[in-house]
């Protein structure tokens, strides 16, 4: 029998079976880490050695709580019901410890969460403390031909955050909240344990091993979890928030945008860069020594053209910035840098993808090219004004290079701005640096990350297209040829012989009261979009023609839809001039979109 120790700064133990729980727990771990909670599980954090011994050591080192993940094959486990669950239930007797149940099993009729399932799979029906009477959180996949997916992860995270900070409430009022951040290569168990002891919360994003930026699933989890972190910070009623660590610029920007200066009750925002122990703070000094330099870049040559510089305490005006633009534009690529050197080629490549967008570089320079961290608050206000001016010229596409603490301070000054944020990546196959659009940030909004952009692969080269729409699809060479001579058909893909092969997006209907309008009563139903059915297998060199709404929902690289319709003389659609596709969601993120309810880009 293991008697676990309670530690308020300890990780949350995840109890599950590898037989069918690994994928769910991989997702749960990513979600919790994006929301500031450090989980402990018996896979990623295990060094060599016996599982039982390592789990016992982890429990005795101290846990803040536990989560039981209930899946069908948990019934085949002996270690979970005999060792882990009893230990976690004993831990939950501590007044401040937590024990949550994440249930993935529906009722036998395909309805909602089956509250009896945890006791049944663990053979605890005769127990004196049945799990059916405890609070359970749903993580239910969409049912075949029935209800859509259901997720209580936001509520689970909120409860964990509330409990974790509540246990330190008096201490937090005195010193504020300390939040560790990390998005570089994954830390080991010792690093995670140390971070948990030193910080109240620790936000970690997983790095993609090919692009070397945070992976798409981490961004999507952060999109949903970040508002819950912000709520927990304000509920703690603290005056100071202190971030510490090294991370990608996009994560720093998201955290700054989530806690804008315009929102009251936070007197001090601090970011400590652990690499050089620099402390960037929002507190003004009134003694500025830095200047702001702005220049435009020729998208063709990558060379600087026009430029201007402003001394300490001065800010470029809107008219001065407008003079740097070569013409009226709808998109402006901005590189915000705290160092002198930058790479113009990726900027030019990005501008080309956006339709010859203008390129502006905004550099902050201190004496000897060093920006004093103590001036970060004053300097961030000036740079925030610059970005607001630029955003009035066109859509702002932001790339960043330099001190992440300063970037977070600038994000706090961009209240109400909608900015597409980019990370610089490397295409190893082409040895080419390029910028990847990762999310759209709206500082001060209830959801600071408004949109996460897909990171999936480009459309594959396919040898065969299979039509899975309800009608034949004919490709025409030119619309004028069709109208004049009834010619131009290149190829027709026949519709499936069976109706159940059509790829469609299911609809869940809810009958409402009648709609009274124009003197009549109209029956009214609420339509909720569900999952796509059926789901064809992903096969190399094979693509599928599907309805546009299905392609938008699936975000698969092998889904194509008819584009640029061709109509006959009576206006009926008889074919198309080409196919369209959407940016594909990454393979890692796609299975979990049903739980994240992420709005897509325009």
């Amino acid at each position: 029998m293991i008697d676990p120790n309670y530690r308020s700064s300890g990780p949350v133990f995840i109890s599950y079976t590898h037989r069918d729980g690994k994928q769910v727990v991989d997702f749960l771990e990513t979600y919790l880490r994006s929301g500031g909670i450090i989980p402990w599980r018996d896979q990623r954090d295990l060094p060599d050695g016996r599982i039982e011994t390592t789990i016992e050591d982890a429990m005795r080192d101290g846990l803040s709580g536990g989560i039981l993940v209930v899946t069908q094959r948990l019934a085949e486990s002996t270690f979970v019901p005999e060792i882990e669950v009893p230990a976690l239930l004993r831990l939950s007797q501590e007044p401040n410890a937590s024990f949550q149940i994440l249930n993935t099993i529906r009722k036998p009729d395909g309805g909602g969460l089956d509250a009896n399932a945890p006791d049944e799979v663990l053979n605890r029906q005769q127990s004196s403390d049945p799990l059916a009477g405890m609070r359970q959180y749903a993580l239910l996949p969409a049912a075949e031909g029935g209800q859509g997916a259901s997720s209580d992860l936001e509520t689970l995270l909120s409860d964990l955050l509330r409990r974790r900070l509540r246990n330190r409430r008096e201490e937090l009022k005195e010193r504020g909240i300390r939040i560790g951040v990390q998005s570089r290569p994954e830390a080991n168990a010792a690093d995670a344990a140390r971070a948990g002891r030193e910080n109240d919360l620790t936000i970690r994003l997983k790095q993609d091993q090919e692009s070397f930026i945070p992976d798409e699933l981490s961004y999507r989890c952060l999109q949903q979890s970040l508002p819950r972190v912000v709520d927990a910070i304000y509920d703690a009623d603290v005056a100071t928030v202190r971030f510490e660590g090294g991370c990608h610029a996009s994560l720093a920007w998201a955290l700054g945008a989530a806690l804008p200066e315009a929102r009251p009750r936070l007197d001090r925002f601090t970011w400590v860069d652990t690499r050089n122990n620099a402390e960037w703070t929002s507190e003004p000094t009134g003694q500025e020594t830095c200047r702001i330099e702005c220049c435009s870049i020729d998208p063709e040559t990558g060379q600087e053209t026009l430029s201007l510089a402003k001394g300490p305490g001065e800010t470029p005006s809107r008219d001065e910035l407008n003079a740097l633009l070569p013409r009226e534009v709808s998109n402006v690529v901005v590189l915000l840098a705290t160092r002198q050197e930058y790479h113009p080629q990726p900027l030019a490549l990005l501008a080309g993808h956006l339709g010859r967008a203008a390129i502006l570089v905004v550099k902050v320079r201190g004496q000897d090219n060093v920006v004093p961290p103590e001036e970060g608050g004053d300097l961030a206000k000036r740079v925030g004004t610059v970005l607001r001016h630029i955003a009035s010229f066109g859509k702002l596409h932001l790339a960043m290079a330099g001190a992440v603490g300063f970037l977070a301070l600038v994000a706090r000054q961009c209240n109400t701005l909608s900015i597409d944020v980019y990370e610089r990546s490397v295409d190893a196959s082409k040895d080419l640096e390029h910028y990847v659009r990762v999310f759209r940030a709206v500082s001060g909004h209830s959801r600071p990350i408004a949109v996460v952009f897909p990171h999936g692969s480009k459309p594959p080269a396919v040898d065969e297209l299979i039509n899975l729409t309800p009608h034949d699809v004919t490709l025409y060479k030119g619309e004028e040829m069709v109208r004049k001579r009834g010619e131009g058909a290149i190829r027709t893909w026949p519709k499936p012989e069976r109706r159940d092969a059509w790829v469609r997006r299911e609809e869940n209907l809810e009958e409402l009261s009648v709609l009274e309008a124009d003197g009549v009563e109209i029956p009214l139903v609420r339509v909720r979009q569900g999952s796509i059915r059926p789901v064809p297998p992903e096969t190399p060199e094979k693509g599928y023609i599907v309805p546009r709404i299905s392609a938008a929902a699936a975000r698969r690289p092998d889904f194509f839809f008819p584009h640029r319709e061709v109509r006959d003389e009576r206006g009926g659609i008889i074919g198309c001039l080409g196919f369209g596709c959407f940016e594909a969601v990454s393979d890692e993120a796609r299975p979990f979109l049903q739980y994240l309810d992420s709005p897509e880009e325009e």
Side-chain angles (χ1 to χ4, degrees):
M1 183 178 71
I2 301 176
D3 286 317
N5 292 318
Y6 171 74
R7 177 163 57 88
S8 63
S9 63
V12 175
F13 188 95
I14 301 179
S15 178
Y16 72 107
T17 177
H18 289 256
R19 292 173 176 85
D20 64 347
K22 182 181 182 303
Q23 187 183 44
V24 170
V25 173
D26 285 345
F27 172 49
L28 174 63
E29 179 183 13
T30 300
Y31 191 94
L32 293 179
R33 289 184 185 274
S34 75
I37 299 298
I38 295 177
W40 194 101
R41 56 182 294 197
D42 65 355
Q43 175 167 314
R44 180 158 299 167
D45 293 334
L46 274 187
D48 293 335
R50 296 177 60 230
I51 292 179
E52 295 86 347
T53 301
T54 309
I55 289 177
E56 183 175 353
D57 290 344
M59 289 189 170
R60 289 180 175 163
D61 183 55
L63 303 171
S64 60
I67 300 174
L68 172 65
V69 179
V70 180
T71 54
Q72 291 287 357
R73 297 191 66 183
L74 194 62
E76 302 172 24
S77 171
T78 56
F79 194 80
V80 171
E82 294 178 6
I83 305 296
E84 292 182 355
V85 170
L88 294 177
L89 287 173
R90 285 192 293 274
L91 176 68
S92 69
Q93 299 306 309
E94 290 284 340
N96 294 320
S98 63
F99 178 68
Q100 275 97 354
I101 300 172
L102 186 67
N103 193 341
T104 69
I105 300 177
R106 289 186 179 275
K107 294 178 180 178
D109 62 1
L113 178 146
D114 185 356
N116 295 316
D119 290 312
E120 292 174 357
V121 298
L122 294 175
N123 196 24
R124 290 175 50 89
Q125 293 94 328
Q126 306 305 318
S127 173
S128 59
D129 55 345
L131 301 180
M134 297 183 178
R135 173 73 181 274
Q136 298 184 29
Y137 302 81
L139 190 69
L140 306 175
E144 284 284 347
Q147 297 187 16
S150 175
S151 170
D152 292 331
L153 284 181
E154 282 189 273
T155 305
L156 171 62
L157 177 62
S158 293
D159 290 347
L160 287 170
L161 290 169
R162 189 182 305 111
R163 183 183 294 270
R164 190 174 185 87
L165 298 183
R166 183 188 63 194
N167 295 342
R168 309 177 183 188
R169 193 170 185 85
E170 295 305 316
E171 181 184 355
L172 295 180
K173 283 186 176 181
E174 198 64 33
R175 62 167 171 79
I177 289 178
R178 295 191 301 246
I179 302 176
V181 292
Q182 180 60 264
S183 63
R184 300 300 177 183
E186 297 178 38
N188 58 30
D191 291 337
R194 182 168 58 254
R197 283 184 166 89
E198 295 173 351
N199 299 300
D200 304 301
L201 303 175
T202 301
I203 296 174
R204 292 181 181 271
L205 302 189
K206 186 169 57 177
Q207 180 175 271
D208 182 85
Q209 297 306 304
E210 293 185 2
S211 65
F212 304 107
I213 66 175
D215 67 15
E216 182 183 344
L217 180 59
S218 292
Y219 281 123
R220 291 187 180 274
C221 289
L222 182 68
Q223 178 187 29
Q224 192 175 93
S225 66
L226 188 52
R228 306 288 75 79
V229 175
V230 172
D231 289 344
I233 290 172
Y234 283 107
D235 287 346
D237 196 26
V238 297
T240 298
V241 174
R242 178 179 184 268
F243 292 93
E244 179 176 316
C247 65
H248 287 78
S250 57
L251 175 55
W253 189 272
L255 296 174
L259 298 167
E261 188 178 70
R263 185 169 179 175
R265 291 174 57 190
L266 275 185
D267 297 332
R268 193 167 190 266
F269 180 103
T270 300
W271 192 295
V272 179
D273 189 337
T274 53
R275 288 178 296 181
N276 53 21
N277 203 33
E279 183 170 320
W280 298 86
T281 177
S282 62
E283 294 181 331
T285 64
Q287 298 179 350
E288 294 186 71
T289 63
C290 294
R291 60 188 185 274
I292 297 176
E293 298 178 355
C294 302
C295 65
S296 59
I297 302 294
D298 187 325
E300 298 293 336
T301 65
Q303 300 297 313
E304 294 185 7
T305 54
L306 304 173
S307 64
L308 65 88
K310 290 291 183 178
E314 298 180 338
T315 304
S317 69
R318 184 183 183 281
D319 289 341
E320 288 174 319
L321 291 166
N322 192 28
L324 298 180
L325 297 176
R327 62 192 181 283
E328 289 189 7
V329 294
S330 56
N331 292 288
V332 184
V333 173
V334 174
L335 174 65
L336 174 58
T338 59
R339 54 176 180 252
Q340 177 66 12
E341 299 297 326
Y342 65 91
H343 301 275
Q345 290 80 9
L347 295 173
L349 183 64
L350 172 58
H353 288 164
L354 295 171
R356 296 183 57 82
I359 306 175
L360 294 179
V361 176
V362 179
K363 294 180 286 188
V364 293
R365 302 280 300 278
Q367 296 178 357
D368 300 323
N369 291 327
V370 176
V371 179
E374 61 271 17
E375 295 185 24
D378 292 322
L379 187 56
K381 290 183 179 180
R382 293 164 58 198
V383 174
T385 299
V386 170
L387 293 180
R388 286 194 293 274
H389 287 332
I390 296 174
S392 68
F393 307 141
K395 178 65 183 176
L396 204 159
H397 301 262
L398 183 65
M400 297 168 281
V404 294
F406 176 68
L407 299 175
L409 289 174
V410 176
R412 301 189 72 225
Q413 303 297 325
C414 296
N415 198 45
T416 73
L417 285 187
S418 175
I419 300 174
D420 284 3
V421 176
Y422 292 73
E423 282 284 357
R424 196 174 72 187
S425 181
V426 177
D427 187 337
S429 64
K430 300 179 181 178
D431 193 25
L432 176 68
E433 290 186 347
H434 65 286
Y435 282 103
V436 177
R437 186 170 62 159
V438 292
F439 59 71
R440 179 170 297 152
V442 183
S443 180
H445 195 268
S446 59
R447 197 166 189 165
I449 300 178
V451 175
V452 173
F453 295 103
H455 296 188
S457 60
K458 297 178 181 178
V462 298
D463 292 336
E464 179 186 8
L465 282 174
I466 300 174
N467 183 8
L468 298 180
T469 70
H471 46 75
D472 294 347
V473 174
T474 299
L475 179 67
Y476 285 90
K477 186 175 182 179
E479 193 167 4
E480 288 301 317
M481 189 177 295
V482 177
R483 289 178 176 173
K484 290 181 179 180
R485 299 193 298 271
E487 301 173 355
I490 299 174
R491 170 70 185 269
T492 296
W493 289 268
K495 64 182 180 182
E497 295 181 358
R498 296 175 50 183
R499 293 172 59 93
D500 58 7
W502 301 347
V503 172
R504 62 199 181 280
R505 191 167 186 185
E506 295 181 331
E507 294 182 344
N508 299 312
L509 306 180
E510 176 187 355
E511 291 190 9
L512 304 177
S513 57
V514 296
L515 174 66
E516 295 184 6
D518 299 322
V520 297
E521 293 186 347
I522 308 168
L524 182 65
V525 297
R526 178 180 288 120
V527 180
R528 292 187 175 91
Q529 297 288 354
S531 304
I532 63 166
R533 304 286 183 193
V535 180
E538 294 190 45
T539 305
E541 301 178 344
K542 181 179 293 185
Y544 300 98
I545 305 171
V546 301
R548 182 187 180 107
I549 190 173
S550 299
R555 290 299 173 133
R556 281 177 45 165
D558 57 347
F559 274 19
F560 307 92
F561 56 88
H563 184 59
R564 296 178 62 197
E565 298 151 341
V566 175
R567 299 176 181 271
D568 59 21
E569 296 177 349
R570 292 174 294 181
I573 298 175
I574 59 174
C576 62
L577 297 178
F579 293 121
C581 66
F582 289 99
E583 287 184 290
V585 170
S586 68
D587 294 340
E588 294 75 18
R590 194 179 304 128
F592 307 110
L593 290 183
Q594 59 183 324
Y595 304 121
L596 293 173
D597 187 28
S598 300
E600 298 297 343
E601 72 270 25
E602 300 163 359

PDB file of all heavy atoms in Angstrom, residues 27-41:
ATOM      1  N   PHE A  27      -3.118  13.842 -25.022  1.00  0.00           N
ATOM      2  CA  PHE A  27      -3.872  15.079 -25.211  1.00  0.00           C
ATOM      3  C   PHE A  27      -4.084  15.800 -23.883  1.00  0.00           C
ATOM      4  O   PHE A  27      -3.875  17.026 -23.775  1.00  0.00           O
ATOM      5  CB  PHE A  27      -5.209  14.749 -25.872  1.00  0.00           C
ATOM      6  CG  PHE A  27      -6.169  15.895 -25.963  1.00  0.00           C
ATOM      7  CD1 PHE A  27      -5.775  17.130 -26.455  1.00  0.00           C
ATOM      8  CD2 PHE A  27      -7.492  15.728 -25.557  1.00  0.00           C
ATOM      9  CE1 PHE A  27      -6.670  18.184 -26.547  1.00  0.00           C
ATOM     10  CE2 PHE A  27      -8.393  16.781 -25.645  1.00  0.00           C
ATOM     11  CZ  PHE A  27      -7.987  18.006 -26.136  1.00  0.00           C
ATOM     12  N   LEU A  28      -4.488  15.070 -22.864  1.00  0.00           N
ATOM     13  CA  LEU A  28      -4.731  15.672 -21.548  1.00  0.00           C
ATOM     14  C   LEU A  28      -3.462  16.329 -21.018  1.00  0.00           C
ATOM     15  O   LEU A  28      -3.503  17.440 -20.471  1.00  0.00           O
ATOM     16  CB  LEU A  28      -5.224  14.600 -20.571  1.00  0.00           C
ATOM     17  CG  LEU A  28      -5.395  15.041 -19.115  1.00  0.00           C
ATOM     18  CD1 LEU A  28      -6.454  16.126 -18.993  1.00  0.00           C
ATOM     19  CD2 LEU A  28      -5.753  13.830 -18.241  1.00  0.00           C
ATOM     20  N   GLU A  29      -2.327  15.656 -21.182  1.00  0.00           N
ATOM     21  CA  GLU A  29      -1.062  16.221 -20.712  1.00  0.00           C
ATOM     22  C   GLU A  29      -0.747  17.526 -21.435  1.00  0.00           C
ATOM     23  O   GLU A  29      -0.364  18.520 -20.809  1.00  0.00           O
ATOM     24  CB  GLU A  29       0.065  15.220 -20.928  1.00  0.00           C
ATOM     25  CG  GLU A  29       1.418  15.738 -20.476  1.00  0.00           C
ATOM     26  CD  GLU A  29       2.543  14.764 -20.752  1.00  0.00           C
ATOM     27  OE1 GLU A  29       2.330  13.798 -21.502  1.00  0.00           O
ATOM     28  OE2 GLU A  29       3.643  14.985 -20.209  1.00  0.00           O
ATOM     29  N   THR A  30      -0.904  17.552 -22.753  1.00  0.00           N
ATOM     30  CA  THR A  30      -0.661  18.774 -23.525  1.00  0.00           C
ATOM     31  C   THR A  30      -1.584  19.890 -23.061  1.00  0.00           C
ATOM     32  O   THR A  30      -1.166  21.041 -22.909  1.00  0.00           O
ATOM     33  CB  THR A  30      -0.862  18.504 -25.024  1.00  0.00           C
ATOM     34  OG1 THR A  30       0.045  17.488 -25.449  1.00  0.00           O
ATOM     35  CG2 THR A  30      -0.633  19.749 -25.846  1.00  0.00           C
ATOM     36  N   TYR A  31      -2.831  19.553 -22.812  1.00  0.00           N
ATOM     37  CA  TYR A  31      -3.824  20.545 -22.397  1.00  0.00           C
ATOM     38  C   TYR A  31      -3.476  21.122 -21.028  1.00  0.00           C
ATOM     39  O   TYR A  31      -3.489  22.345 -20.824  1.00  0.00           O
ATOM     40  CB  TYR A  31      -5.207  19.891 -22.363  1.00  0.00           C
ATOM     41  CG  TYR A  31      -6.354  20.866 -22.215  1.00  0.00           C
ATOM     42  CD1 TYR A  31      -7.008  21.344 -23.338  1.00  0.00           C
ATOM     43  CD2 TYR A  31      -6.774  21.298 -20.969  1.00  0.00           C
ATOM     44  CE1 TYR A  31      -8.057  22.246 -23.217  1.00  0.00           C
ATOM     45  CE2 TYR A  31      -7.819  22.192 -20.832  1.00  0.00           C
ATOM     46  CZ  TYR A  31      -8.457  22.668 -21.952  1.00  0.00           C
ATOM     47  OH  TYR A  31      -9.488  23.562 -21.824  1.00  0.00           O
ATOM     48  N   LEU A  32      -3.160  20.258 -20.069  1.00  0.00           N
ATOM     49  CA  LEU A  32      -2.852  20.730 -18.720  1.00  0.00           C
ATOM     50  C   LEU A  32      -1.590  21.580 -18.707  1.00  0.00           C
ATOM     51  O   LEU A  32      -1.530  22.613 -18.034  1.00  0.00           O
ATOM     52  CB  LEU A  32      -2.699  19.540 -17.766  1.00  0.00           C
ATOM     53  CG  LEU A  32      -3.963  18.723 -17.491  1.00  0.00           C
ATOM     54  CD1 LEU A  32      -3.651  17.559 -16.552  1.00  0.00           C
ATOM     55  CD2 LEU A  32      -5.073  19.588 -16.899  1.00  0.00           C
ATOM     56  N   ARG A  33      -0.571  21.147 -19.447  1.00  0.00           N
ATOM     57  CA  ARG A  33       0.674  21.922 -19.478  1.00  0.00           C
ATOM     58  C   ARG A  33       0.437  23.303 -20.091  1.00  0.00           C
ATOM     59  O   ARG A  33       1.033  24.288 -19.651  1.00  0.00           O
ATOM     60  CB  ARG A  33       1.751  21.165 -20.258  1.00  0.00           C
ATOM     61  CG  ARG A  33       2.291  19.936 -19.532  1.00  0.00           C
ATOM     62  CD  ARG A  33       3.430  19.292 -20.316  1.00  0.00           C
ATOM     63  NE  ARG A  33       3.888  18.050 -19.717  1.00  0.00           N
ATOM     64  CZ  ARG A  33       4.803  17.954 -18.759  1.00  0.00           C
ATOM     65  NH1 ARG A  33       5.361  19.055 -18.281  1.00  0.00           N
ATOM     66  NH2 ARG A  33       5.170  16.789 -18.287  1.00  0.00           N
ATOM     67  N   SER A  34      -0.413  23.390 -21.101  1.00  0.00           N
ATOM     68  CA  SER A  34      -0.705  24.697 -21.693  1.00  0.00           C
ATOM     69  C   SER A  34      -1.459  25.589 -20.710  1.00  0.00           C
ATOM     70  O   SER A  34      -1.432  26.816 -20.844  1.00  0.00           O
ATOM     71  CB  SER A  34      -1.535  24.530 -22.976  1.00  0.00           C
ATOM     72  OG  SER A  34      -2.883  24.201 -22.679  1.00  0.00           O
ATOM     73  N   GLY A  35      -2.131  24.986 -19.737  1.00  0.00           N
ATOM     74  CA  GLY A  35      -2.898  25.738 -18.758  1.00  0.00           C
ATOM     75  C   GLY A  35      -2.205  25.937 -17.430  1.00  0.00           C
ATOM     76  O   GLY A  35      -2.851  26.347 -16.451  1.00  0.00           O
ATOM     77  N   GLY A  36      -0.900  25.650 -17.362  1.00  0.00           N
ATOM     78  CA  GLY A  36      -0.149  25.963 -16.153  1.00  0.00           C
ATOM     79  C   GLY A  36      -0.029  24.854 -15.142  1.00  0.00           C
ATOM     80  O   GLY A  36       0.596  25.040 -14.092  1.00  0.00           O
ATOM     81  N   ILE A  37      -0.608  23.688 -15.414  1.00  0.00           N
ATOM     82  CA  ILE A  37      -0.588  22.570 -14.458  1.00  0.00           C
ATOM     83  C   ILE A  37       0.450  21.538 -14.901  1.00  0.00           C
ATOM     84  O   ILE A  37       0.474  21.130 -16.066  1.00  0.00           O
ATOM     85  CB  ILE A  37      -1.974  21.901 -14.369  1.00  0.00           C
ATOM     86  CG1 ILE A  37      -3.018  22.908 -13.893  1.00  0.00           C
ATOM     87  CG2 ILE A  37      -1.933  20.695 -13.452  1.00  0.00           C
ATOM     88  CD1 ILE A  37      -2.781  23.464 -12.503  1.00  0.00           C
ATOM     89  N   ILE A  38       1.287  21.100 -13.979  1.00  0.00           N
ATOM     90  CA  ILE A  38       2.280  20.069 -14.278  1.00  0.00           C
ATOM     91  C   ILE A  38       1.682  18.698 -13.968  1.00  0.00           C
ATOM     92  O   ILE A  38       1.349  18.406 -12.822  1.00  0.00           O
ATOM     93  CB  ILE A  38       3.556  20.263 -13.435  1.00  0.00           C
ATOM     94  CG1 ILE A  38       4.242  21.571 -13.817  1.00  0.00           C
ATOM     95  CG2 ILE A  38       4.528  19.097 -13.651  1.00  0.00           C
ATOM     96  CD1 ILE A  38       5.462  21.876 -12.994  1.00  0.00           C
ATOM     97  N   PRO A  39       1.538  17.842 -14.971  1.00  0.00           N
ATOM     98  CA  PRO A  39       1.043  16.484 -14.720  1.00  0.00           C
ATOM     99  C   PRO A  39       2.208  15.518 -14.505  1.00  0.00           C
ATOM    100  O   PRO A  39       3.337  15.776 -14.944  1.00  0.00           O
ATOM    101  CB  PRO A  39       0.293  16.152 -16.006  1.00  0.00           C
ATOM    102  CG  PRO A  39       1.020  16.925 -17.068  1.00  0.00           C
ATOM    103  CD  PRO A  39       1.613  18.141 -16.418  1.00  0.00           C
ATOM    104  N   TRP A  40       1.918  14.413 -13.851  1.00  0.00           N
ATOM    105  CA  TRP A  40       2.889  13.321 -13.711  1.00  0.00           C
ATOM    106  C   TRP A  40       2.212  12.065 -14.230  1.00  0.00           C
ATOM    107  O   TRP A  40       1.091  11.739 -13.848  1.00  0.00           O
ATOM    108  CB  TRP A  40       3.294  13.121 -12.253  1.00  0.00           C
ATOM    109  CG  TRP A  40       4.516  12.253 -12.089  1.00  0.00           C
ATOM    110  CD1 TRP A  40       5.785  12.675 -11.852  1.00  0.00           C
ATOM    111  CD2 TRP A  40       4.581  10.814 -12.128  1.00  0.00           C
ATOM    112  NE1 TRP A  40       6.640  11.612 -11.762  1.00  0.00           N
ATOM    113  CE2 TRP A  40       5.937  10.448 -11.931  1.00  0.00           C
ATOM    114  CE3 TRP A  40       3.654   9.800 -12.342  1.00  0.00           C
ATOM    115  CZ2 TRP A  40       6.358   9.120 -11.928  1.00  0.00           C
ATOM    116  CZ3 TRP A  40       4.076   8.480 -12.344  1.00  0.00           C
ATOM    117  CH2 TRP A  40       5.409   8.146 -12.138  1.00  0.00           C
ATOM    118  N   ARG A  41       2.907  11.368 -15.129  1.00  0.00           N
ATOM    119  CA  ARG A  41       2.352  10.140 -15.692  1.00  0.00           C
ATOM    120  C   ARG A  41       3.462   9.107 -15.810  1.00  0.00           C
ATOM    121  O   ARG A  41       4.649   9.448 -15.826  1.00  0.00           O
ATOM    122  CB  ARG A  41       1.720  10.403 -17.063  1.00  0.00           C
ATOM    123  CG  ARG A  41       2.674  11.027 -18.054  1.00  0.00           C
ATOM    124  CD  ARG A  41       2.030  11.329 -19.378  1.00  0.00           C
ATOM    125  NE  ARG A  41       1.629  10.141 -20.089  1.00  0.00           N
ATOM    126  CZ  ARG A  41       1.352  10.108 -21.387  1.00  0.00           C
ATOM    127  NH1 ARG A  41       1.429  11.234 -22.099  1.00  0.00           N
ATOM    128  NH2 ARG A  41       1.001   8.990 -21.975  1.00  0.00           N
TER     129      ARG A  41
END
